[in-house]
Amino acid sequence: MRTNLASLAPELIQQIGTELGNNVTELRLVCKRMSTVLESHILRSIAIDITKPRLDLGISQLTTLATQGNHAETATHDLHIRYLCPSKDPSNRSPNWMFDADTEEWVERPPTPCPPEVKIAEEKMQAMLQLAIASLSNLRSLKWNIGRYDSKWTLTAVMNAVKTLPLLESLELNVGIFDMADLQLQSLRNLRSIKISAPNNEYFTNIIEPLSLLIANSPNLHTLHVAPMYGPVASLHHLLRNCSPNLVLPLKHLGLQGFSLKLDSTTLPHLHHLTSLTLHHVTTSESDPDEAYVGKAESSHPDEIWAILKTTDVRLDSIDVNHISTTLLDYISLYSGLKKLHLAPINLKTQEQSDLAANQFYNLCLGKHTSSLEELIVMAGYEGGWCFGDQALVVISLCKKLKILEGCLVSEALDDAVKSLIDVTTQLPRMEKLTIHSADLELLRGAICGNATMGHFQDVRTQLSRYIREYEATESSKPVPLILVHSRKFTMAPSEGAGSAGGALRYQCDSDEPFVIFE
């Protein structure tokens, strides 16, 4: 019995649309019913992207959204604001700075005069942007790239619209401008997820207080990621300072980069439900005492953080850190159940320290989580114990739920190392992606000039490409389907001349261009 596709239940058609991904638009063209059923599916996630090369399309979209009765009003749950800058051409990579011979200083290049169509687009944006966003009454999630050259009025327009949306629960900001005075974060309420990133302190510090007020206004907050700061200028205490004494946030996911952190009676109550913790470049009051306004009462050494977590009931299923210590490894050894583990041992200054910690990790820690681990990333700074050698591969081969694996190999006998690593993936039935990086030579630890390092990286990447291409498999062995090296993708395909006799498979690369040091 044959079933006509158009006669399927709407739920099944939408599920098919989900599986098709970006190709769902082709399915909409089949017939009027398909178009109607899939319209809400397509409009569930939309992007506003207004730049010079696509002015007509961007303004047309705003016009539609600002018109009462548009279908996106109720269908759209996720909005991504990419660009709100009609004068910007993303393909133009001309430098933003120029050398002024008169003053002998580098100055910002003056903007080019706006053509009439850009001025017209700006005027239409001013008339419609707030109306367009405010119309999305079912919006749940907003991701907003605040561009350096966006007009100041866009901050006010977007925030005035967003604060009227009753169902908004997730906010992700990528901040690209210095003056954030018009970003009234404290005007929002009841968010469940907040993620904010900025390139440096100057972009970030003046929204710490509004962010703290927003957190205090969000009693059901479960996700908080804030990054990056440089130097001991803000802490988790700063972010929580406006919370009332009887408010305990149900935080499950916490990410801090460059922030100070101390686990005490102020912060710990908010972390009892924590399952995911990202800590990068944790700072202390001793890091730069002349610059600090974070005191000892609000900062701890990373070792102390993990020592205190050991005494709690918090057992994380996701850890992402770039400071490795014995107390961290002891914490990981306490229990089973980690699903995601990202380690970057940048703080280990000598080969002896590094290898000692790596031995503890692969021999005593990782084995506790082989039945649960789905993602393992180990970014070794130097070739040595943290690389995926025989010791590591024995334990990794037991991680049968592993989907994503990322790390480095020792360049000596690289051909054998590549083969051993890919062979291990044949024992991991759920593997989806393997990423291989170059690590620096141990003899270059502490080197002042980076030329030798860059030459080494390029040589290793070239060798990796060759050895991955030479790896041969059969359909029954099923090695990992995708391997990434730097910007190259290697996927499995039948090897030339294999025919039907051997069924041999080899990896093919998406580019034959040589690796370039600077990209």
Side-chain angles (χ1 to χ4, degrees), residues 28-97:
R28 284 192 70 195
L29 301 176
V30 170
C31 64
K32 186 176 181 179
R33 182 170 185 264
M34 284 291 183
S35 178
T36 303
V37 171
L38 290 171
E39 182 175 46
S40 61
H41 177 84
I42 291 174
L43 292 175
R44 185 171 294 268
S45 297
I46 65 173
I48 294 177
D49 191 358
I50 300 178
T51 56
K52 193 174 182 179
R54 58 193 316 276
L55 283 183
D56 290 344
L57 185 60
I59 297 302
S60 174
Q61 180 192 39
L62 272 193
T63 304
T64 301
L65 292 176
T67 302
Q68 287 188 349
N70 74 82
H71 294 293
E73 283 184 351
T74 55
T76 299
H77 288 185
D78 308 303
L79 172 64
H80 184 184
I81 302 177
R82 293 190 178 122
Y83 289 106
L84 294 175
C85 189
S87 63
K88 180 178 178 59
D89 184 351
S91 64
N92 183 1
R93 300 186 181 275
S94 301
N96 296 323
W97 295 82

Side-chain angles (χ1 to χ4, degrees), residues 403 422 425-426 431-434 478-483 490 492 507:
K403 299 178 181 179
I422 301 178
T425 69
T426 67
M431 274 291 292
E432 298 173 359
K433 183 175 69 173
L434 168 65
K478 294 183 179 179
V480 60
L482 174 63
I483 300 178
F490 296 83
M492 187 64 75
Y507 286 100

Side-chain angles (χ1 to χ4, degrees), residues 87 92 94-100 106-114 148-149:
S87 63
N92 183 1
S94 301
N96 296 323
W97 295 82
M98 57 184 291
F99 186 75
D100 188 328
W106 286 93
V107 297
E108 192 167 10
R109 188 181 296 276
T112 56
C114 290
R148 181 177 182 183
Y149 299 106

Side-chain angles (χ1 to χ4, degrees), residues 23 31 39 58 60 158 180 199 245 263 271 332 334 346 369 418 442 481 508:
N23 295 324
C31 64
E39 182 175 46
S60 174
V158 173
M180 300 295 290
L263 302 184
L271 306 181
I332 294 174
L334 270 181
I346 65 172
H369 306 277
V418 169
E442 186 60 49
Q508 295 182 355

